[in-house]
Structure formats: C-alpha cells, structure tokens
Amino acid sequence: MRYGPAVRRRKLGAELRALRALAGLTSGEAARLVGWHQSKVSRIETGRSGVKPADVRLLLDAYDVRDPELHELLVVLAGSDDDGRQHWWRAYRGLLPSSYSDFISLESQAGAMRTLENSVVPGLLQTPEYAREVTRTVVGGALDGEVDALVEVRLARQDVLRSNRPLRLSAVLDEAVLRRTVGGPEVMARQLDRLREAAHLPHVRIQVLPFGLGAQIGVTGPFVIFSFPNKSDLDVVVLDHLTSSLYLERKEDLQAYSEAFNSLQDQALSPEDTVDFIAGVSDGG
C-alpha cells in the first residue's frame, strides 16, 4: 500500500485531528473506538506515521463523518494507489534526501505539473549526458557511483511522461536555459534536440521567455506547481533550494503562483514559436 509524502501526511493528520475534535473525542477515546493504541492516533495526527486508506475510513466512521466528498479527499491524501505504481525510488533510500523523495512522490501522483525554470532544463526533459553534468555540479564531491545512481533516478522519473496516463507537463523556460552550455557543445546540442522532440508530445507544452522581454516575475526563481486528478485543493507549490525544498499548500500561495505562471505563459513565445526559437539557438542563432 502506498503512502503520500511527508507534506501530505501532515495535511491529512491535521484534517483528522480537526475532525476528531469536532466529534468531541480525545485521542485516547478515538483509539479505543477503533481498537488501536493511543500512540498510533497521535503519530497519524502529527504526520509522523503513514496511514492506509482503510484506516482513514475507520477513523471517519468513528467520527461520524458522512460527507462522501470529504471521505474521498482524505482517502486520496492517504495515498490510495489505484494505478498500481510502486515507490521505485525506495531502492535509493540512503542516497536521496527526504525532500527529494517527497518531490518524486508528488510527481508520480500528479496529473499535471507546471514549472518555471530560469537556469537549467527541467529534470523530466534532460538527456542522460546533461543530467550527469548537472548532477556533478550540484552534488559536489560525489563519488562516481553516487552520480550514476542519481542520474538513474533522474531518468527513471521521466517514466511519468511515458505512462498510460502521462503527466501533463507545462514548462516555461527562461532563454538562459537554452544559452547556458552544460557539458560542452555536443551535450547541449543533443539536449536542445531533446527539447524540440518533447515539445511535439501532446501532453507536453514548452514555452520560452526571450531575453528581450526584460524583467518579469520569473526572475524571482524557479518553482513547480503539482495538480492532482481528484481534488484541486490538493495542489502543491514546490520551491527548490540548494539544501532543501519548501512546500506551499495554502490557497493564497496556490492562487499567487498559479496567476504568476499564467502571466508568464502569456508573455512567453507560443509553443510553435518556441520550437523555432530552440532550432535557431541550436543552429547558433
């Protein structure tokens, strides 16, 4: 059974704690109703422990929660895995920081991903050679074996674009992403070709922000917005930092970043013009 990432466990725990309080129950009383130890209820409510969808239903029945939409929402937060995909990245535990594992988990569950990049090509669109150069730079001092494993993870993540229900990816790239030579001219040429190929996929939309636009909101830094197929209020904004990631789920944050992304898309070249633009850069333009 699959569990959600830490950010979603915490949200689920908070929701269940509020429903227990609304039912007028202490954690000990709730535990006795479902036949658990009180510590299990506490671990779930604080997000320290994952919880199976069946256990969520048990708690909701104990709290006399009858709203079917709320039932569905909380079961989704628990990480119900109807498509059978496994947590393949667990094979790399000990190598991946927890924030990166959380990111991959969100990516694997999302129905759509919107991303702004102003420095490097998004991981889902990187070639193996490009990914290796970026990894070597970001993880300074890493052994060759560690770099190999991290590149494997990066490439395995790209399966979300090739599944039966592929992730819908919308990427806005600053022109600097295309101009910055990573790994030398040959590596960069293959990477630009990869971007043009990906741009023709029906579920991938790539747009470039040319330098000529001047300052725009994208200069504040890259971000990712994950949207999920069941409930819109499960959307998550991810801000990536050098040593950690920040996950935002407040409605105000989601609205602000969604509006910012929409504005960037409006300013950027169209997907068709973007393909021509990438071709021009590839030809030395």
Side-chain angles (χ1 to χ4, degrees):
M1 183 60 66
R2 143 192 209 145
Y3 302 106
V7 64
R8 303 181 83 189
R9 289 201 306 267
R10 289 194 295 269
K11 183 170 184 176
L12 174 60
E15 295 284 352
L16 290 173
R17 184 168 60 250
L19 289 171
R20 173 179 58 75
L22 190 63
L25 298 170
T26 67
S27 58
E29 290 169 339
R32 285 193 292 274
L33 282 175
V34 296
W36 298 346
H37 192 279
Q38 187 270 340
S39 63
K40 179 174 179 177
V41 175
S42 295
R43 289 196 306 272
I44 290 171
E45 291 185 352
T46 56
R48 295 197 306 269
S49 174
V51 55
K52 298 177 181 179
D55 287 344
V56 170
R57 295 188 184 95
L58 196 62
L59 288 173
L60 294 178
D61 288 343
Y63 302 159
D64 197 28
V65 177
R66 302 180 182 182
D67 183 344
E69 290 192 0
L70 184 55
H71 269 258
E72 179 190 356
L73 170 61
L74 297 185
V75 167
V76 169
L77 276 176
S80 180
D81 191 8
D82 295 330
D83 63 5
R85 288 177 294 184
Q86 300 299 313
H87 281 171
W88 56 264
W89 55 92
R90 286 178 177 168
Y92 298 90
R93 58 184 177 272
L95 176 68
L96 304 181
S98 60
S99 60
Y100 191 18
S101 294
D102 281 354
F103 184 91
I104 298 173
S105 182
L106 287 169
E107 189 176 69
S108 73
Q109 297 176 64
M113 173 180 173
R114 290 166 283 172
T115 181
L116 166 71
E117 280 290 353
N118 52 21
S119 182
V120 297
V121 171
L124 294 182
L125 301 175
Q126 292 178 5
T127 65
E129 300 89 352
Y130 187 100
R132 182 173 299 279
E133 291 300 321
V134 171
T135 301
R136 281 176 175 161
T137 301
V138 174
V139 189
L143 300 175
D144 287 344
E146 293 173 331
V147 172
D148 290 343
L150 289 170
V151 172
E152 285 177 10
V153 171
R154 181 69 54 91
L155 299 180
R157 284 174 46 202
Q158 297 176 4
D159 284 345
V160 296
L161 297 178
R162 298 186 287 265
S163 67
N164 292 331
R165 289 180 288 171
L167 179 76
R168 299 187 308 278
L169 174 63
S170 297
V172 174
L173 311 180
D174 189 87
E175 184 177 342
V177 173
L178 310 180
R179 300 288 183 185
R180 179 172 289 105
T181 303
V182 174
E186 292 184 2
V187 169
M188 200 62 204
R190 286 192 290 272
Q191 179 59 72
L192 293 176
D193 287 343
R194 167 69 178 130
L195 285 176
R196 284 190 290 170
E197 292 170 3
H200 289 99
L201 295 174
H203 52 282
V204 174
R205 179 186 178 96
I206 302 174
Q207 294 177 258
V208 168
L209 286 166
F211 288 147
L213 288 177
Q216 31 73 27
I217 197 168
V219 301
T220 59
F223 61 85
V224 172
I225 306 172
F226 287 117
S227 298
F228 298 88
N230 294 289
K231 292 289 181 178
S232 61
D233 61 353
L234 293 182
D235 291 2
V236 179
V237 175
V238 184
L239 307 180
D240 208 16
H241 303 291
L242 184 61
T243 58
S244 64
S245 296
L246 179 63
Y247 294 84
L248 307 177
E249 294 183 290
R250 295 189 314 155
K251 289 183 178 179
E252 302 93 318
D253 294 325
L254 293 170
Q255 181 177 351
Y257 278 92
S258 292
E259 290 176 353
F261 191 82
N262 291 340
S263 176
L264 290 167
Q265 282 192 311
D266 290 341
Q267 297 175 65
L269 297 177
S270 70
E272 295 77 17
D273 289 343
T274 288
V275 172
D276 294 337
F277 190 90
I278 295 173
V281 173
S282 186
D283 292 339

